[in-house]
Structures are given as structure tokens and as C-alpha cells.
Amino acid sequence: MVPDTTTSPRTGRQELLTALGEIEQRVLWLSAATIDHANRVRPNPTGLKVGGHQASCASMVSIMTTLWFHELTADDRVSVKPHASPALHAVNHLLGELPAGALETLRSFGGLQSYPSRTKDPDPVDYSTGSVGIGATAPIWGALARRYVEGRFPGAGTGRQYALLGDAELDEGACWEAVQDPMVAGLGEVVWIVDLNRQSLDRVVPALSAERLAGMFEAAGWQVLTLKYGEQLTELFSRPGGEALRTRLDTMGNPEYQRLLRCTPAELRDRLPGTGSTREPLERLVATLDDDALHSAVRNLGGHDLGALLDAYAAIDDTRPTVILAYTVKGRGLHSEGHPQNHSSLLTRDQIADLATRTGADLDDPWRPLPADSAAARLCAERAEELRRPPVGRIAPPPVPTDFGRTPGGTGTTQQAFGRALLDLSRSAPEAAARVVTVSPDVSSSTNLGGWLNKVGVWSPTERVDWFADDAETILHWRENPTGQHVELGIAETNLVGLLGELGATWSRWGQPLLPIGIMYDPFVNRALEPWQFGIYAGGQSLLVGTPSGVTLAPEGGAHQSITTPSLGLEQPGCTTWEPAFAQDTEWCVLAALSLLGRPDGGSAYLRLSTRPVDQSLAAVPADPAARERRRRQAVAGAYGLRRAEGTPDVTLAAMGAMVPEALTAADRLAGLGVAADVVCVTSPGLLFRATQARRGLDDAPQWVLDQAFPADRAAPLVTLLDGHPHTLAFLGTVHNTPVTPLGVTRFGQSGALDEVHRHHGIDTESVVRAALDLTHRP
């Protein structure tokens, strides 16, 4: 236990605890009643389960009450575990941030969301949660993002970053990847409060050890505060037989303890003493307690002791991250408390009526406010004023150029072009470049970021000595200081995109837009997709670069060859995907992606790049300024006609990314066979799909790119080609309802030379020629 150090500037401690106790009971009631209304009161003509988590809310009520109604400041931010969403809405209602009528809309269309949502809930939500592990780690990345912003554009303030999470959530590997990252150990504003109720969704966790968890956090440099027992149990430990009681509870397995919570007082008197050496002294101690005292003592855990929670907050060491392991009872105060299947259980009508009576609420007027002259109501009003945040004044991101005006020549890769684009941005648009922040998981040197890093440096809260600065053979200079614009994390893609999401949300949190870019190997993008897409859902805008990609990374073998990533733009809301073929297209797409960031009407982007060297003259970039701008607009919009055959084409070859050279060579071969072939360079399948949907009235996207890349008077059978799964471009046949043969990668890769690997997957020139001849029925 931590020492009692808490005092209140508003009132005495006991008066404070009494007021907090009244609020605690009202939060318990409101959260349970909100779920009850959604399931039993609101009409439900379909009969489908609505759901909710009364027990999960109940175990968090004491923690949330002490936080919001005593501890938090307006600068603090809190991530609330998904299943405690109704408790958060109850708190916001008591603070005047949510009208009573909104409590009747939980899980209804357009109403309160099932889980806390920054972008969809009407009341204040600091972090969107819902996918376990992501909400827990988000405040870590929020702390880093705030520090980064504050170091450049003062005004983000200070404040703690809290995460309220369930103990079962610690099963997620993402939590431990974040806890042990070297960048995290100095974040003293990070506080995790673990709702240690020892239950998961289906069962009582049989072997959860808080001591083991504490050791893991301590090994990562975190402060650990453990709240196991409350004041009543602590006092009992000091009585004769008290040590035996402590030993019995400390050594008792989780399932046995949970079973005690379901016992009558008579059963408790028999079960609690056990069968060992503790039985006799415990029987004597238990005999001194009446039924009510015995019933309350068994469930008197630290996570429900308001005073112990306040003391824990006062003991937080702000020089390092802190975790508070707060023992709780799932369903505390409900008829379902402690039952292993209480996760989604609902109180019956009689049980909800009993809860109303016990909490001082009114079943017939469930949203009745606290008495206006009560200490609890006054405390709610005071805290509402103290926690009120001023409106965020948003700064528009600086303009990003659309074209640097040069045409790359020679032979190069799109990955190299990306690195050059960042350097060109710093020269051509320094204000925009100053808001770029890159993030990578220990792959900076292998993804062509070296030049950018040498120019802008690596971000660190404090300056560190570069001991290799005077080494003549050092090419990549690792200068770490608070002005750096690159953040290097360990090899954990979920950490990277977690930070990316928070860097991409600074425009809405503090009014300061950043242009965050995350770079990782494309084969590992799928590992990061869930937390990245959740960041997009929460309003984070970023550019994710996957490089190198596809089976063109031939010598690396199947383990490093991505297949499914090209279709992200088709499937991910709020994200535009580009896969350029040439350096010039890469520049244009990077600039277009950056122009989407840091704005209310913006969005995220994914750029799939390659290490395949390509002759840049194949791009045939127009020299005329007007024609060049037309090409740029088409490339950014999704596709452009790269080569047009004389007369009416017999076939159209639509290729994307690193496979465009094969399409051009196939067109030459087909011309020699008397088959006229158009070649279309696809840069964004997602934008093209939206355009096709818009033609049918199913989207509001612009359609003009289809008319220019695939004009109706040149409609012909299609061969589509990409270094990824062929379904990505298969929909192009619907543009003019023409036959289509989609070529791509559908099997695990092989090591080998590029021509061997392309032949193995049927994406080489020979395969394109054969597919075109089959479509045109040529002999």
C-alpha cells in the first residue's frame, strides 16, 4: 500500500470521501441504467442483441470517480478501456458535458458508441478505444506526440497521459512492446491504471500474478504501485488472526476468491478459514464480525477504496512511467459481481430496481440529477469548471507544392525517389518540411532515409553525443537532439503506427498540424494494419510507406515478399493508396499525400514502393508545361495513358508499379504480332474503384480520370498486371464491361533472379503476351 498523503484544498478528507462516495454510487447507477435502457426500455423491433458491459463498468467506477472528480487537470488525457464506455458517459453527464437524453442512445444509430470514440461520440473522449491493447498504448504515443509538438510549436502544454485498462488486456503483446521500448522509460507523464479484476471475457483467470506483472514493469523502468486491500481489510489484518487472514487471501487462487464473492455470510464463515493452519485463528476472527461486516470485508479491495486510490495518485513519480495495479471486483455492487460469466450479463428488472434503491436513484426517473444542495452536486460543478478546456485554435498546415519542376532521368527506384522527394521538399517548401516527422522501426538506412536523417537529425528529448561523428567511414550521422525530425523506435510495427496515429492527431488535439510519415518494410505492413486503421478511425492522419514491396524483392525469398498490400486503398476507409511506377510519379504522389494531412477534411495515405531499378525515360513525362500538369493530375487521380497504339487498340494492358516495364515490353512484342496494345499506368486502384462506384451513384468521387485513362472510344479487352494479388485490378473490366485477365501473385514467393521469380508467378512479359493473345483470340 502507498502512504496516505492526500489532502484536499476544497474540503476535509472525510467530507471529500463522502462526496466522492455519493458520486461513485451515481456513476455506478448511470452506467448500469444506460445499458439497461438500451436493452430493455428502448424499442428493439429486430430482436437483435444490443449488449453492453455492466460488470466491466462496475469494476472501474471507483477508479474513474476519483480520477475525474479529484485528480485530473484540464491538461490531462485519459484512455478508457472499451467496455467501460457507459461509465465514461456517466462521468461526462455528471460534469455537464452530456445531456440526460443522450444516455438513452447507447448503441443506437447516431447515438453513443459501443466503445469510446473521439470522432463519433458527442461528449469528450480523449482516445478512441475498442481494440484491446491499442487504447492502452495510445497515451504513450500521445505523450511522445505532445512532447514533439511542444518542443517546436509551444502551446501543447503538459499534463499526464492516463490509460485505464483491464488486466486481461495485458495479454496483448502490443502492451509489452510499448512498455519496454527505450523511448518510453523517460515519459513520466504516462500513468497506467490496471483494473485487476482477474477475469477475462469467458472465465476467472486461474493464474494471474500481480507480482509477476509488477516485476515486468519494474524491469522496464516503470514505477509500480499496488493497491490490493482496502482500509477495512487492512484494519482487520492488525487484529488477532489478521496475519492468518492476510496469508489466506494472499495465497488463495483467483477462482476460489471469486467463489467467495458469491457466498452467503453463513457459507463465508465456513469457506473463508480454509483447511490449513489458518483455519483456527480465522474462525475466531470471523466470529467477531457481523454478517454485513464480513460480506463487505471480503470484497474490500484497493481498487474500490477511494482513499487508497487518492493516496496512490499522490505517490506518482513524474520522472518515469507509472503503473497502478488496482485490485477490483468485476461487477462490484451488482448482483452479478464476481461471477465468471458476468462479462455481458444484464441485470434483471428486479435487480436493476434493487440497484436503484441501493444507490439512491429513481427507477422511474433514472436520469434524475443529484440534489442541487448536496456536496456531491457541488463537487461535480467545481470539477466541471476545473476540467473545462478552452477551444482549440487550429492552424492550417503550410501549403505543399504539387511539383518540384524537375524530371528524373537515368535508372532509379521509387524507394530512392521517395528519399529525394523529402530532401527536395526541405529545399522547395521549408515551412511544410518543418512539419514533417518521419518514424521507422530500425530500418532508416535500408529504406533510403539516410539523406533526410543527415539533414534533419533524430528526435530525442535531450541531446546525445554522436560518438561516430568523426569517423570517416560513417555515412549515416545519428545526431539526436530535441530539434530532430525523425523518431526511431525498436523493431515493433505496432508501436510505429501507434505513434504515427498520435502524431497525425496533433492538429485536432492542440491545433498544430504535423505531416507524419511512417516507413516500414512492406511485407510487415499487414502486422501494423489494425492499429493503423484504428488510428485513422480516431482521426489520426498520416502517410504510411511500405518499401520494398512485392516479389521484385526476389533474392529475399517468400518471407520478404508482400502480396496483399496493393489493395489497401480499396478496403481501408479514410486511406488513399498509391503505387507509382516511376520516380516522377512518386514525387507527385508523395506531395499529394502530404497535402491531405493535418486538416479537418483530410485523410491518410499508403504508398507502396519498390527497389526495382527502372529506366526513367520509359515514363515519357511531357515537356510541355500544360501536358505535364495534365499527366500529374492523372497520376495523382489514379491512372494515365502511358502509351497509345495507332488506331483502335485490340487490347489494353493496365499495369501498376514495378511491373510497368513488362507491360511496355509486351506491347512492343504484341505490335510485332499485329496486335495493337494501349498501356495504362495505374497509380491508385482505390481511387479508380471509387470513380467506378461514382458512375453508378454509389460514391461522390470524381469520375473524370476514367474518361482520360480509359476513354470509351478505346475500350478493349484488358490484361491487368501488378506485383501483388491480381484481384486488386480485376474490377477495371467493369469500366466498359470488357473481358479482363488479371495477372498477379497468388502464391508464396521464391528466392531467385528477378526474371525467374516473375516467370514463376506468371507476371513476366511472356505471360502478358499470352494473356493478350488469348483475349484477342489470335492464333
Side-chain angles (χ1 to χ4, degrees):
M1 298 289 291
V2 297
D4 180 354
T5 57
T6 299
T7 58
S8 170
R10 292 182 292 269
T11 184
R13 181 177 174 88
Q14 190 52 53
E15 288 81 1
L16 171 64
L17 293 177
T18 299
L20 287 173
E22 293 179 33
I23 295 172
E24 174 190 38
Q25 290 300 296
R26 188 52 59 99
V27 173
L28 175 63
W29 163 253
L30 289 173
S31 59
T34 297
I35 298 168
D36 183 74
H37 188 280
N39 286 272
R40 301 187 188 279
V41 180
R42 192 171 66 222
N44 182 10
T46 66
L48 293 175
K49 174 185 174 182
V50 176
H53 302 88
Q54 290 173 327
S56 294
C57 288
S59 65
M60 289 293 298
V61 163
S62 307
I63 294 169
M64 295 177 69
T65 297
T66 52
L67 265 184
W68 267 269
F69 296 96
H70 182 271
E71 188 63 21
L72 294 181
T73 72
D75 286 332
D76 296 337
R77 298 291 185 271
V78 188
S79 170
V80 178
K81 76 174 188 178
H83 295 155
S85 173
L88 176 60
H89 298 311
V91 166
N92 282 333
H93 169 64
L94 292 175
L95 292 172
E97 298 282 3
L98 191 68
L103 296 175
E104 299 180 354
T105 68
L106 179 70
R107 299 191 173 206
S108 67
F109 185 78
L112 298 177
Q113 299 301 295
S114 306
Y115 310 119
S117 172
R118 285 190 73 224
T119 57
K120 294 181 180 294
D121 276 318
D123 52 332
V125 175
D126 293 330
Y127 289 98
S128 296
T129 60
S131 185
V132 292
I134 296 175
T137 58
I140 290 177
W141 314 126
L144 275 174
R146 187 204 60 77
R147 287 195 182 201
Y148 186 92
V149 169
E150 181 65 18
R152 283 166 172 73
F153 316 107
T158 56
R160 287 176 178 165
Q161 297 276 347
Y162 291 89
L164 309 184
L165 61 152
D167 50 8
E169 200 163 358
L170 292 176
D171 290 344
E172 288 289 338
C175 291
W176 299 106
E177 288 181 349
V179 163
Q180 62 80 44
D181 193 280
M183 190 70 76
V184 173
L187 299 178
E189 63 268 47
V190 171
V191 180
W192 282 14
I193 304 177
V194 180
D195 172 19
L196 203 73
N197 60 43
R198 294 173 279 186
Q199 284 188 235
S200 61
L201 190 150
D202 292 326
R203 60 174 183 160
V204 177
V205 180
L208 176 67
S209 169
E211 291 77 12
R212 179 174 60 85
L213 292 176
M216 294 167 69
F217 278 104
E218 287 171 346
W222 288 50
Q223 177 192 25
V224 179
L225 301 174
T226 300
L227 300 182
K228 189 168 187 179
Y229 301 120
E231 182 179 352
Q232 183 183 4
L233 271 177
T234 301
E235 192 276 327
L236 285 178
F237 294 156
S238 66
R239 297 186 188 183
E243 280 304 313
L245 176 60
R246 183 193 291 272
T247 300
R248 173 83 169 111
L249 291 175
D250 282 345
T251 57
M252 184 182 295
N254 296 332
E256 183 182 4
Y257 172 76
Q258 297 284 106
R259 183 63 184 89
L260 292 180
L261 301 175
R262 310 292 300 170
C263 290
T264 64
E267 292 171 327
L268 270 177
R269 295 181 189 280
D270 177 60
R271 286 176 180 253
L272 181 57
T275 59
S277 60
T278 60
R279 183 169 184 83
E280 185 176 340
L282 274 182
E283 284 180 330
R284 290 195 298 269
L285 177 60
V286 167
T288 67
L289 305 176
D290 62 30
D291 285 354
D292 288 343
L294 180 59
H295 180 272
S296 63
V298 170
R299 47 193 38 79
N300 180 230
L301 299 181
H304 299 299
D305 190 297
L306 302 179
L309 285 162
L310 296 183
D311 294 342
Y313 304 149
I316 291 172
D317 176 5
D318 286 319
T319 67
R320 54 181 173 149
T322 295
V323 61
I324 299 174
L325 301 175
Y327 280 76
T328 60
V329 173
K330 191 167 184 176
R332 176 70 147 77
L334 307 180
H335 286 263
S336 60
E337 68 177 1
H339 195 281
Q341 278 87 54
N342 66 5
H343 184 76
S344 296
S345 66
L346 297 172
L347 298 180
T348 66
R349 188 65 178 170
D350 289 342
Q351 290 170 346
I352 198 75
D354 177 66
L355 180 64
T357 300
R358 288 189 288 109
T359 58
D362 185 344
L363 184 63
D364 297 323
D365 186 10
W367 322 125
R368 185 185 67 189
L370 291 163
D373 60 348
S374 67
R378 290 195 297 272
L379 180 56
C380 288
E382 289 176 19
R383 292 299 291 156
E385 187 62 30
E386 292 168 356
L387 294 176
R388 187 163 292 117
R389 298 169 184 165
V392 175
R394 292 174 182 165
I395 296 174
V400 177
T402 58
D403 191 341
F404 293 135
R406 63 176 181 82
T407 303
T411 299
T413 72
T414 54
Q415 178 176 288
Q416 292 168 341
F418 167 71
R420 284 197 299 269
L422 291 182
L423 291 175
D424 286 343
L425 183 69
S426 66
R427 290 187 284 264
S428 301
E431 288 188 8
R435 292 189 178 261
V436 170
V437 52
T438 55
V439 186
S440 71
D442 200 35
V443 293
S444 301
S445 57
S446 55
T447 54
N448 281 91
L449 280 184
W452 169 255
L453 261 66
N454 286 340
K455 182 175 182 60
V456 303
V458 178
W459 181 82
S460 173
T462 59
E463 187 164 0
R464 298 175 181 173
V465 176
D466 180 6
W467 293 103
F468 286 84
D470 59 350
D471 187 326
E473 295 184 11
T474 298
I475 299 175
L476 179 63
H477 296 286
W478 206 257
R479 295 180 289 108
E480 298 180 82
N481 55 63
T483 63
Q485 290 180 244
H486 175 78
V487 182
E488 187 87 359
L489 299 175
I491 305 178
E493 284 78 11
T494 54
N495 286 353
L496 179 144
V497 295
L499 176 56
L500 206 60
E502 289 306 315
L503 290 169
T506 60
W507 65 273
S508 59
R509 290 198 190 280
W510 302 294
Q512 291 290 354
L514 296 176
L515 308 180
I517 304 173
I519 304 97
M520 67 174 67
Y521 283 177
D522 198 67
F524 310 132
V525 164
N526 284 334
R527 185 184 300 173
L529 277 184
E530 185 205 2
W532 188 54
Q533 68 186 21
F534 206 83
I536 295 174
Y537 170 78
Q541 299 172 359
S542 61
L543 168 58
L544 182 62
V545 178
T547 181
S549 66
V551 300
T552 48
L553 195 62
E556 297 284 349
H560 277 186
Q561 296 174 2
S562 56
I563 297 174
T564 62
T565 50
S567 62
L568 287 184
L570 296 171
E571 299 142 5
Q572 178 56 55
C575 171
T576 301
T577 292
W578 283 287
E579 184 170 347
F582 303 105
Q584 185 63 76
D585 298 349
T586 304
E587 173 195 303
W588 289 335
C589 293
V590 167
L591 296 176
L594 293 178
S595 70
L596 297 174
L597 306 180
R599 52 198 323 123
D601 59 344
S604 293
Y606 162 66
L607 206 63
R608 190 174 190 252
L609 304 180
S610 173
T611 50
R612 184 188 186 185
V614 172
D615 179 1
Q616 297 303 306
S617 67
L618 296 177
V621 178
D624 180 81
R628 178 188 177 95
E629 173 59 14
R630 182 173 183 269
R631 165 71 71 84
R632 185 200 66 80
R633 291 182 68 249
Q634 292 172 341
V636 169
Y640 58 87
L642 180 56
R643 183 182 296 179
R644 299 297 191 197
E646 293 186 10
T648 302
D650 299 305
V651 67
T652 297
L653 310 180
M656 186 165 71
M659 302 312 301
V660 169
E662 272 67 24
L664 291 170
T665 302
D668 291 337
R669 294 262 302 272
L670 288 167
L673 296 172
V675 177
D678 279 357
V679 178
V680 175
C681 181
V682 175
T683 54
S684 177
L687 291 177
L688 294 184
F689 181 74
R690 287 194 61 191
T692 62
Q693 291 289 84
R695 276 191 172 179
R696 296 165 175 81
L698 302 176
D699 203 305
D700 58 359
Q703 307 170 37
W704 61 265
V705 66
L706 296 179
D707 297 326
Q708 293 188 12
F710 300 94
D713 61 351
R714 300 190 70 80
L718 271 165
V719 177
T720 63
L721 177 68
L722 73 153
D723 188 358
H725 201 283
H727 85 274
T728 305
L729 299 179
F731 73 91
L732 289 176
T734 67
V735 173
H736 295 300
N737 295 320
T738 55
V740 59
T741 298
L743 302 181
V745 180
T746 58
R747 292 174 288 172
F748 287 115
Q750 299 286 336
S751 296
L754 193 59
D755 58 342
E756 295 173 321
V757 172
H758 283 178
R759 188 162 51 250
H760 170 75
H761 291 287
I763 55 175
D764 59 330
T765 300
E766 296 285 337
S767 298
V768 178
V769 171
R770 283 196 300 271
L773 293 176
D774 288 343
L775 280 174
T776 57
H777 304 291
R778 298 302 175 94

